[in-house]
């Protein structure tokens, strides 16, 4: 039995060693039935030489020198000697020779060796903080899985420790990093196999946790309460969310990924140890990271724009979920996965509430201010900006509202230009929701059109705004969410509204001309007809000169349509009856507009807003 004060080792099951001589550069690996006394003493003597050389209690050289930095080959000999010593001790214990002097001597050497390895383990971890930072480690994940461990390299093959062609493809920095990882793995394997796992783990956790905590701090991740978030100005909170999104990206790409790779590599000999180490090092920081979105989602402030920050955070977690499950796969760290899911659930709920709030905000808009000239209403611009931005999150929103009951169409007023979306694709729930929100907007615009005193301008207002909605749909991801049938029907409605505008705005002008413009007329009748046309055209022009049509295609469409109906008829009438009213002097007195004048005035419509003192009337120009 070991003497009092000596540590009893926890051996891993080993096979008996073969008999024969042992050189400093050899390692015992073959099974055998037993050992001779001389062989056991030779193995212990060999270990005693190298262990004594690196005993910091007796050697001033060992106190100030790192074995692994001084001579990699000798460090490997040290490891092999300790492993051989462990196997001898296992043989002696299993042979009921636990009280022998050889075992006592071997135990003393083992304690000295473990103390040395603890120091080396600490030094390598401390001195290589830059080379073992998570970002550096994470970039070599593929290489560490394919390259053979450098700890298996035969260090006796070259006194100068030349790694050779296998390392030519990696940079000097990567080489230093991987060498440090291999050295740490060699020490960890030796200490764990010798029963010193606790000491090894304590050192590793202490240093690596400080690195992860420092990384978390630099990324701006901190504990924030709901009350503090609720008191923040939106600009401040928005900045914090942007910082979190960047922290999320870096954490998943480098910080936690690199630490998992490093931990798995160094403690590959023990699943339980690598799990406990990774959990101890990362759990606190990871939970803190994934807790932030849940706290933000609880903010009571209602603002439709908040939805995009929430969707951004939801997307960040959703996109990284496969990595989250892989990196934090251990059961002991399931709290991280749970926190991520809780945050997604809370974000999901808040996004739905904000969609309802946006809908309610449109419905409750009570502004009675009319847009001059029947232009685009600010509510239309705001709503379409909002909806087109939402469409960029189509996949995420489809996931969020996939199990959300479809909106009840009966809660909205019936208007003729509503066409339900007919789409049975996986995105249908989101398409239905978008269709409904557009319908809510159109209903509100229909009500606002009633504030115009001129019914013609109210129709132009509806045509302009519906055309704006359709244009934004075509230029955004909304186009893929709404059916072709839906878009086509609403394009038809724009044409119908434009036709209604023409009828009410220019109907009196057309009515002032005879049904058959070329039919014979008496001079008095022709003069009266020219007079009525001039009055009605000037009146219509004055009213419509202040109208605007921002969309160039719709503007040209309306102008061409009016010109085709009005100018052509007036041209025929003018050509047929200008001579009827008398000579050139009489024409000058009774005809205020020539056909080309009418065309010129019409071409000047819808491109500017009329202001007093600006622009000219047909009569003054004539």
């Amino acid at each position: 039995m070991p003497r009092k004060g000596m540590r009893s080792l926890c051996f891993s099951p080993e096979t008996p060693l073969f008999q024969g001589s042992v050189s400093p550069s050899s390692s015992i690996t073959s099974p055998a039935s037993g050992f001779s006394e001389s062989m056991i003493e030779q193995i212990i003597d060999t270990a005693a030489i190298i262990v004594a050389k690196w005993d910091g209690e007796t050697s001033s050289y060992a106190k100030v020198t790192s074995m692994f930095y001084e001579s990699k080959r000798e460090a490997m000999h040290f490891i092999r000697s300790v492993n051989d010593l462990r196997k001898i001790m296992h043989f002696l214990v299993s042979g009921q020779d636990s009280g022998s002097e050889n075992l006592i001597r071997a135990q003393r050497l083992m304690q000295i060796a473990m103390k040395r390895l603890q120091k080396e383990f600490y030094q390598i971890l401390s001195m290589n903080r830059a080379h073992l930072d998570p970002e550096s480690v994470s970039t070599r994940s593929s290489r560490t899985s394919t390259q053979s461990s450098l700890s298996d390299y035969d260090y006796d093959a070259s006194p100068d420790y030349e790694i050779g062609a296998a390392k030519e493809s990696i940079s000097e920095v990567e080489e230093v990093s991987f060498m440090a990882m291999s050295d740490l793995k060699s020490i960890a394997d030796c200490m764990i196999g010798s029963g010193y796992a606790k000491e090894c783990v304590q050192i590793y956790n202490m240093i690596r946790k400080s690195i992860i905590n420092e990384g978390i701090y630099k990324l701006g991740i901190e504990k924030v309460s709901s009350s503090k978030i609720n008191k923040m100005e939106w600009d401040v909170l928005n900045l914090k969310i942007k910082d979190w999104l960047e922290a999320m990206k870096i954490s998943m790409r480098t910080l936690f990924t690199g630490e998992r790779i490093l931990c798995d590599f160094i403690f590959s000999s023990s699943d339980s140890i690598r799990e406990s180490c990774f959990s101890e090092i990362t759990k606190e920081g990871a939970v803190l990271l994934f807790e932030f979105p849940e706290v933000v989602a609880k903010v009571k402030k209602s603002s439709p724009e908040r939805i995009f920050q929430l969707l951004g955070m939801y997307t960040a977690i959703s996109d990284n979920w496969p990595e989250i499950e892989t990196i934090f796969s251990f059961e002991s760290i399931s709290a991280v996965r749970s926190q991520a899911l809780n945050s997604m659930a809370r974000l999901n709920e808040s996004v739905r509430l904000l969609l309802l709030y946006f809908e309610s905000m449109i419905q409750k808009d009570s502004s009675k201010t009319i847009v001059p000239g029947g232009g685009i209403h600010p509510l239309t611009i705001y709503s379409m900006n909002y909806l087109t931005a939402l469409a960029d999150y189509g996949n995420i929103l489809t996931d969020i509202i996939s199990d959300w009951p479809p909106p009840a169409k009966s809660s909205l007023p019936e208007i003729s230009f509503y066409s339900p979306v007919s789409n049975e694709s996986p995105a249908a729930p989101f398409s239905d929701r978008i269709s409904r929100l557009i319908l809510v907007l159109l209903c509100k615009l229909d009500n606002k059109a009633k504030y115009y005193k001129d019914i013609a301008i109210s129709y132009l207002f509806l045509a302009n705004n519906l055309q704006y909605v359709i244009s934004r749909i075509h230029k955004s991801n909304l186009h893929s969410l709404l059916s072709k049938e839906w878009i086509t029907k609403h394009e038809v409605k724009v044409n119908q509204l434009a036709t209604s505008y023409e009828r009410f705005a220019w109907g009196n002008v057309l009515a002032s001309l005879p049904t058959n413009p070329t039919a014979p007329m008496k001079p008095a009748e022709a003069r009266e007809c020219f007079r009525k046309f001039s009055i009605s055209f000037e009146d219509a022009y004055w009213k419509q000169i202040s109208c605007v049509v921002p969309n160039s295609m719709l503007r040209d469409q309306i102008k061409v349509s009016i010109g085709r109906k009005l100018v052509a008829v007036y041209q025929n009438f003018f050509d047929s009856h200008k001579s009827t009213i008398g000579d050139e002097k009489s024409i000058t007195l009774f005809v205020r507009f020539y056909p080309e004048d009418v065309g010129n005035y019409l071409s000047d419509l819808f491109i500017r807003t009329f202001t007093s003192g600006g622009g000219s009337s047909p009569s003054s120009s004539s």
Side-chain angles (χ1 to χ4, degrees):
M1 295 296 292
R3 294 180 181 176
K4 185 177 181 181
M6 288 190 177
R7 176 169 180 160
S8 176
L9 303 181
C10 302
F11 297 108
S12 300
E14 300 288 348
T15 55
L17 306 180
F18 68 90
Q19 292 182 355
S21 61
V22 181
S23 68
S25 62
S26 66
S27 179
I28 302 172
T29 58
S30 302
S33 58
F35 297 94
S36 64
E37 187 71 21
S38 61
M39 184 179 180
I40 292 174
E41 291 179 356
Q42 184 180 2
I43 293 172
I44 295 175
D45 289 343
T46 300
I49 294 172
I50 193 168
V51 170
K53 178 180 179 179
W54 293 99
D55 183 0
E57 298 293 330
T58 58
S59 171
S60 57
Y61 172 78
K63 281 184 179 180
V64 296
T65 308
S66 168
M67 177 170 58
F68 276 82
Y69 281 93
E70 183 67 20
S71 174
K72 192 77 67 171
R73 182 173 58 183
E74 187 161 311
M76 291 300 103
H77 290 167
F78 187 97
I79 293 289
R80 289 167 185 155
S81 294
V82 173
N83 288 335
D84 290 346
L85 190 64
R86 171 171 53 84
K87 293 172 183 179
I88 287 296
M89 294 172 68
H90 177 81
F91 173 78
L92 292 174
V93 170
S94 63
Q96 308 300 319
D97 196 9
S98 58
S100 69
E101 287 298 321
N102 283 330
L103 180 59
I104 293 171
R105 185 184 174 202
Q107 286 178 316
R108 288 174 175 170
L109 289 173
M110 182 63 77
Q111 289 182 331
I112 296 171
M114 289 297 108
K115 189 173 182 180
R116 182 71 215 184
L117 288 180
Q118 287 181 58
K119 180 179 180 181
E120 294 288 333
F121 196 74
Y122 178 84
Q123 285 181 327
I124 295 172
L125 280 172
S126 300
M127 296 174 66
N128 287 279
R129 286 177 69 101
H131 294 112
L132 295 176
D133 68 286
E135 182 173 4
S136 298
V137 174
S138 64
T139 59
R140 288 179 296 282
S141 59
S142 59
R143 294 193 177 107
T144 56
S145 63
T146 56
Q147 290 184 327
S148 60
S149 172
L150 294 184
S151 62
D152 295 332
Y153 179 77
D154 185 358
Y155 293 99
D156 294 316
S158 170
D160 299 323
Y161 186 53
E162 298 177 1
I163 301 303
K167 292 170 18 187
E168 290 179 357
S169 62
I170 62 176
S171 68
E172 182 179 350
V173 174
E174 291 176 323
E175 179 183 323
V176 172
S177 175
F178 193 78
M179 293 291 290
M181 291 170 64
S182 298
D183 292 342
L184 290 169
K185 174 175 169 54
S186 298
I187 296 174
D189 288 347
C190 185
M191 293 185 70
I192 292 170
S194 300
Y196 280 74
K198 180 180 179 181
E199 288 78 357
C200 181
V201 166
Q202 284 178 339
I203 295 171
Y204 184 85
N205 287 352
M206 175 184 68
I207 294 178
R208 296 307 301 177
K209 189 170 185 178
S210 69
I211 292 174
I212 295 299
N213 288 344
E214 181 181 344
I216 292 290
Y217 175 78
K218 287 181 177 179
L219 290 174
I221 303 171
E222 59 180 353
K223 184 77 172 179
V224 184
S225 64
S226 297
S227 59
K228 185 176 180 180
I229 290 290
N230 272 303
K231 293 177 183 177
M232 283 184 184
E233 294 293 331
W234 175 244
D235 290 343
V236 177
L237 179 56
N238 191 36
L239 184 61
K240 278 192 169 293
I241 293 173
K242 289 181 178 179
D243 290 343
W244 180 89
L245 290 171
E246 184 64 21
M248 178 70 179
K249 185 191 305 180
I250 295 174
S251 297
M252 296 308 301
R253 187 179 64 228
T254 60
L255 194 64
F256 297 127
T257 300
E259 189 57 42
R260 177 63 191 265
I261 292 169
L262 185 65
C263 197
D264 285 353
F265 183 83
I266 293 174
F267 297 110
S268 60
S269 62
S270 173
D271 290 343
S272 61
I273 290 177
R274 67 190 182 96
E275 176 177 350
S276 65
C277 285
F278 185 74
S279 178
E280 171 65 24
I281 292 167
T282 63
K283 182 177 180 180
E284 182 180 346
V287 169
L288 198 61
L289 173 71
F290 292 117
E291 186 179 52
F292 179 76
E294 181 178 9
V295 177
V296 173
K298 294 179 180 178
V299 173
K300 298 177 180 179
K301 300 174 183 177
S302 293
S303 171
E305 290 77 12
R306 281 187 57 229
I307 196 171
F308 300 109
Q309 280 70 25
L310 301 186
L311 287 171
M313 291 190 289
Y314 188 98
T315 301
I317 300 177
S318 177
D319 288 351
N320 283 284
W321 182 248
E323 287 75 21
I324 294 171
E325 282 192 306
T326 300
I327 296 171
F328 302 101
S329 59
F330 298 128
E331 187 58 33
S332 59
I333 206 167
S334 61
V336 174
R337 302 193 303 273
S338 297
Q339 180 58 62
L341 290 173
N342 289 341
S343 289
M344 289 181 72
R346 178 63 72 169
L347 289 168
N348 184 313
E349 179 183 346
S350 295
V351 165
R352 293 185 181 192
L353 289 175
L354 286 174
L355 285 174
L356 292 175
Y357 180 79
F358 172 70
E359 179 180 324
S360 174
M361 186 195 71
I362 296 175
Q363 289 178 323
K364 293 179 180 179
D365 185 279
S366 58
S367 171
K368 295 184 179 181
T369 302
I370 61 172
V371 180
I376 312 301
H377 199 281
L379 181 63
T380 307
I381 298 173
Y382 170 79
S383 299
M384 292 312 298
N385 285 341
Y386 191 85
L387 293 177
T388 53
L390 279 183
D392 292 337
Y393 293 91
N395 292 334
I396 291 298
L397 281 166
T398 296
D399 179 51
I400 289 176
I401 67 176
S402 59
D403 59 345
W404 200 8
K409 293 183 175 63
S410 59
S411 62
L412 291 169
E414 292 292 333
I415 57 176
S416 60
F417 51 86
Y418 169 63
S419 298
V421 66
S422 57
N423 188 356
E424 297 180 357
S425 68
F430 181 43
S431 298
D432 285 343
R433 189 63 54 174
I434 289 292
S435 176
R436 175 187 175 85
L437 292 174
I438 293 176
L439 170 61
V440 171
L441 171 64
L442 297 180
C443 289
K444 181 57 63 173
L445 293 174
D446 195 52
N447 288 328
K448 291 184 179 298
K450 298 173 183 177
Y451 298 134
Y452 286 96
K453 295 179 179 179
D454 187 334
I455 190 171
I457 299 180
S458 70
Y459 277 110
L460 186 64
F461 168 79
L462 290 175
N464 277 331
N465 282 265
L466 184 53
Q467 179 62 51
Y468 180 83
V469 169
I470 294 172
S471 297
R472 294 300 302 272
I473 290 172
H474 278 301
K475 296 176 182 178
S476 69
N477 288 329
L478 288 171
H479 186 267
S480 61
L481 293 171
L482 298 169
S483 70
K484 185 176 181 180
E485 177 190 10
W486 189 98
I487 296 174
T488 301
K489 286 186 176 181
H490 285 78
E491 287 175 335
V492 170
K493 185 59 189 179
V494 172
N495 294 332
Q496 293 173 348
L497 291 168
T499 300
S500 295
Y501 159 76
E502 294 175 28
R503 184 174 69 255
F504 283 98
W506 302 95
N508 288 338
V509 181
L510 285 170
S512 67
L513 296 172
T515 305
N516 184 357
T518 60
M521 278 188 176
K522 295 178 180 180
E525 293 176 335
R527 295 188 191 107
E528 179 63 17
C529 198
F530 275 113
R531 187 185 71 81
K532 287 182 178 179
F533 176 83
S534 298
I535 293 173
S536 61
F537 180 76
E538 185 172 1
D539 181 63
Y541 181 87
W542 268 105
K543 290 180 179 179
Q544 306 310 314
I545 188 61
S546 63
C547 292
V548 294
V549 181
N551 184 273
S552 60
M553 291 183 63
L554 180 60
R555 182 167 62 245
D556 291 342
Q557 173 190 328
I558 295 176
K559 284 184 178 182
V560 169
S561 179
I562 296 173
R564 187 170 58 247
K565 296 172 183 176
L566 185 61
V567 177
V569 174
Y570 185 63
Q571 181 74 59
N572 288 335
F573 176 74
F574 179 85
D575 292 341
S576 299
H577 299 288
K578 65 178 181 179
S579 60
T580 304
I581 60 176
D583 56 15
E584 190 69 28
K585 184 177 180 181
S586 298
I587 293 175
T588 304
L589 289 174
F590 295 104
V591 179
R592 295 169 59 186
F593 300 106
Y594 284 76
E596 57 268 26
D597 295 330
V598 173
N600 289 335
Y601 287 126
L602 291 179
S603 67
D604 200 34
L605 294 173
F606 312 132
I607 57 176
R608 67 180 185 272
T609 302
F610 176 80
T611 56
S612 59
S616 59
S617 71
S619 58
S620 61
S621 295
S622 299

